[in-house]
Amino acid sequence: MRFDTSLLALLLLTLSACGSGGSPGTLTYFFSSDPRSLDPALSTDVPTGESIVLLFDNLVQTNPEGEIVPGLARRWDIDPSGLHYTFHLRTDATFHDGRPVRASDVIGSFERVLAAGSSGGRSWPLDPIAGAPAFTAGSASRIEGLSAPDDSTVTITLAEPLNIFLQFLAMPVAAIVPIPLPADFQEHPIGSGPWRFVDWAHDDALLLARNEAYWGTVPAADSLRIRIIPEPLTQAAEYEAGGLSVVEVPFGETRRWESTHAGELQRRTALRVLYVAINTRRGPLADVRVRQALNHAVNMPVILETVAAGRGVLSAGAIPPGLAGHDSTRTPWGHDPARARALLAEAGHPDGLSLQLWRTPRPVYSRIAQALQQQLGDVGIRVEIVERDASSARAAARNGEADLFLTDWYGDYPDAENFTWPLFHSRNAGTGGNLAFLADPVLDAALDSARTLGDPAETAARFRRIDARIHALAPWIFAWFPVDVWAMRPEVTGWRIPALFTGQRWQEAQIRP
């Protein structure tokens, strides 16, 4: 088997060296960094998440529009209490080694993520299952809320109603793996998804082949090669040379590409938000007036236009356009240096203050940070920019060591809850996503109750009020919701920008002869 796999990898890599992003049957994509892992239990980064959805299936899945659709579960029932879920598995799904997917694989996959002593992953999407915390703590030998009445039925009972639980089940960490795991699973993963693993040359390329036995839409292309190309300008150059099937247009190149590649471009407002987290526990930043002054000091429309070529929707809250709960009538903080100085004086800082702005090495972040430094300096806020590698910068922010942290948040699922509860609830301070360390009892209570509401209209109204309070508390310097601009080569068809980064499975994409 190892000889055959290596031979296939060599053949596909040779074919993909041809022009137009590969041979007629080979699509070529890219990641900016190597996946952390190809194991769903360790899915904590974007490249890993994108890889998981290609190789594995979930009970339910997300389509390119961000909608929940059947996966390994062909249908499901939810009882009126919102506590009990029954999933009816399809009987034609098999893993890449030919084994049928059974209910016991679902149970085992979830137990593996939640097991006591497991580390390095993100188990929180499965924590709402009754008995999950006790199982993780080692005080229970089984998960009370998980059972399999037969090989094709899985029942899940929650500890309390949660109106976004189906969204949780579509996340990469909830993907289903074969139980027991193959011995070399970490380097040769076996899933049931539309693509099969072929080869992984770390920091170079990941090679996948079409799963001919897939229960759903079999990919139109023979293979998918994912190259590791860190620099955006290099990615763009590779695309223009025919070495990539699609590419995200670099911000600084947007105007040129709009002129030279107009017919190849796709645009979509991303379920993502760019912001500067303000650590509300650090000295003067605990005062809402200081945080409001930071927002008034910044001319965000100018930064958006000059740094990001206008590729964004200015934010007046944390909930992106397109999600129920977004309020398009709310006005962003306006650029008002005089008001910023007045607020600083009211808060006891008439001579300004000194802060550190932490960021990662991403080129666009460098330009944004410099613009912020200059504009904040104009009102007496002296900013020192601290650049660290991504893991070190994030660790500093999560540990509360950064005054300000320039970052973004990718939606894990298309719901307003995902842009509010993890980012602002006090229980998520630091490592949970709340990098502002905001602790507001009124907001906490509203966020908790919004997760249990059953009526969609009432839920949307609740999140609009939540987002308004977040905006007024100013735990961030609010920036924008990015607009993704991608190019697809003229000979490629069937690919489109997904609403979520995990929503594109490349099943319809192909290269025309």
Side-chain angles (χ1 to χ4, degrees):
M1 286 298 294
R2 287 188 180 277
F3 175 78
D4 291 343
T5 298
S6 300
L7 195 59
L8 178 58
L10 178 62
L11 173 62
L12 292 175
L13 285 169
T14 301
L15 289 172
S16 66
C18 303
S20 300
S23 72
T26 302
L27 296 160
T28 308
Y29 184 48
F30 70 96
F31 291 154
S32 296
S33 61
D34 212 31
R36 175 195 177 191
S37 171
L38 300 181
D39 183 344
L42 299 178
S43 175
T44 58
D45 61 284
V46 171
T48 297
E50 288 193 71
S51 302
I52 296 306
V53 300
L54 300 172
L55 294 165
F56 297 87
D57 289 319
N58 294 44
L59 288 175
V60 298
Q61 292 165 181
T62 305
N63 68 13
E65 299 307 312
E67 302 162 335
I68 293 294
V69 296
L72 292 174
R74 54 188 172 83
R75 65 181 179 89
W76 54 89
D77 308 305
I78 307 173
D79 82 326
S81 73
L83 290 173
H84 306 289
Y85 292 68
T86 302
F87 295 92
H88 304 277
L89 306 188
R90 58 182 72 253
T91 57
D92 56 347
T94 60
F95 290 108
H96 299 151
D97 60 0
R99 289 175 42 194
V101 179
R102 297 190 172 96
S104 58
D105 296 303
V106 178
I107 302 297
S109 296
F110 291 178
E111 288 178 339
R112 181 169 173 265
V113 170
L114 291 165
S118 62
S119 62
R122 53 159 49 156
S123 63
W124 60 261
L126 300 178
D127 287 343
I129 300 173
F135 181 78
T136 299
S139 59
S141 60
R142 56 179 294 272
I143 302 173
E144 175 191 344
L146 273 182
S147 65
D150 54 57
D151 281 349
S152 60
T153 308
V154 173
T155 63
I156 299 178
T157 299
L158 305 184
E160 58 185 16
L162 181 64
N163 54 23
I164 50 170
F165 184 62
L166 286 178
Q167 309 276 12
F168 284 9
L169 292 181
M171 292 176 62
V173 72
I176 308 308
V177 303
I179 302 295
L181 288 183
D184 57 352
F185 181 79
Q186 296 297 329
E187 288 296 317
H188 296 82
I190 293 176
S192 63
W195 298 92
R196 295 184 297 104
F197 175 83
V198 175
D199 184 66
W200 184 11
H202 288 276
D203 295 311
D204 180 27
L206 176 64
L207 189 60
L208 311 178
R210 174 173 61 199
N211 177 11
E212 299 282 2
Y214 190 55
W215 56 264
T217 301
V218 175
D222 296 326
S223 59
L224 175 62
R225 184 185 182 210
I226 304 172
R227 299 173 58 190
I228 311 304
I229 308 175
E231 293 299 324
L233 290 177
T234 306
Q235 297 160 6
E238 285 290 332
Y239 172 90
E240 294 193 284
L244 293 175
S245 298
V246 300
V247 74
E248 184 172 15
V249 177
F251 288 104
E253 293 279 288
T254 303
R255 302 305 185 203
R256 180 177 74 82
W257 282 59
E258 288 173 339
S259 173
T260 59
H261 298 275
E264 303 168 24
L265 301 185
Q266 298 182 27
R267 291 176 176 268
R268 184 169 201 155
T269 302
L271 292 181
R272 190 165 80 249
V273 60
L274 177 77
Y275 65 98
V276 178
I278 304 172
N279 189 335
T280 61
R281 289 183 181 174
R282 289 181 69 87
L285 300 177
D287 192 321
V288 67
R289 294 170 296 184
V290 172
R291 304 195 300 268
Q292 291 173 347
L294 292 174
N295 278 277
H296 277 307
V298 172
N299 192 335
M300 201 57 72
V302 168
I303 298 177
L304 173 59
E305 182 61 31
T306 57
V307 173
R311 283 170 47 178
V313 176
L314 292 171
S315 60
I319 301 174
L323 294 183
H326 173 77
D327 187 350
S328 60
T329 67
R330 190 179 306 121
T331 304
W333 291 100
H335 180 223
D336 189 341
R339 180 60 180 152
R341 293 188 190 94
L343 285 166
L344 289 172
E346 289 175 21
H349 306 283
D351 299 322
L353 61 153
S354 298
L355 300 172
Q356 285 188 332
L357 169 62
W358 287 61
R359 69 168 182 86
T360 61
R362 290 169 59 177
V364 69
Y365 281 9
S366 173
R367 298 178 63 197
I368 294 172
Q370 289 170 8
L372 291 171
Q373 182 185 49
Q374 177 180 337
Q375 293 180 2
L376 291 170
D378 290 342
V379 300
I381 300 174
R382 297 167 294 278
V383 173
E384 175 191 357
I385 297 174
V386 180
E387 178 188 333
R388 295 288 186 273
D389 64 87
S391 60
S392 298
R394 292 192 191 105
R398 290 167 181 164
N399 293 335
E401 299 167 14
D403 296 321
L404 309 173
F405 180 52
L406 173 60
T407 188
D408 60 4
W409 176 265
Y410 282 74
D412 291 305
Y413 43 93
D415 195 280
E417 189 271 358
N418 189 221
F419 287 85
T420 51
W421 195 83
L423 296 171
F424 302 105
H425 196 290
S426 61
R427 68 176 284 185
N428 298 318
T431 56
N434 180 359
L435 301 181
F437 293 85
L438 186 65
D440 180 69
V442 173
L443 186 61
D444 283 355
L447 286 168
D448 287 335
S449 65
R451 304 173 98 212
T452 64
L453 296 174
D455 179 72
E458 184 183 356
T459 303
R462 180 71 58 85
F463 275 114
R464 281 193 293 272
R465 293 193 295 271
I466 286 171
D467 206 27
R469 185 169 184 83
I470 290 168
H471 191 241
L473 290 171
W476 292 353
I477 298 176
F478 293 90
W480 58 79
F481 304 108
V483 172
D484 290 334
V485 179
W486 285 70
M488 181 176 72
R489 291 195 59 82
E491 63 271 23
V492 177
T493 62
W495 184 92
R496 53 188 167 141
I497 303 173
L500 291 171
F501 72 94
T502 54
Q504 176 56 260
R505 305 185 88 192
W506 291 81
Q507 288 157 281
E508 290 81 20
Q510 59 183 308
I511 300 174
R512 289 189 300 239

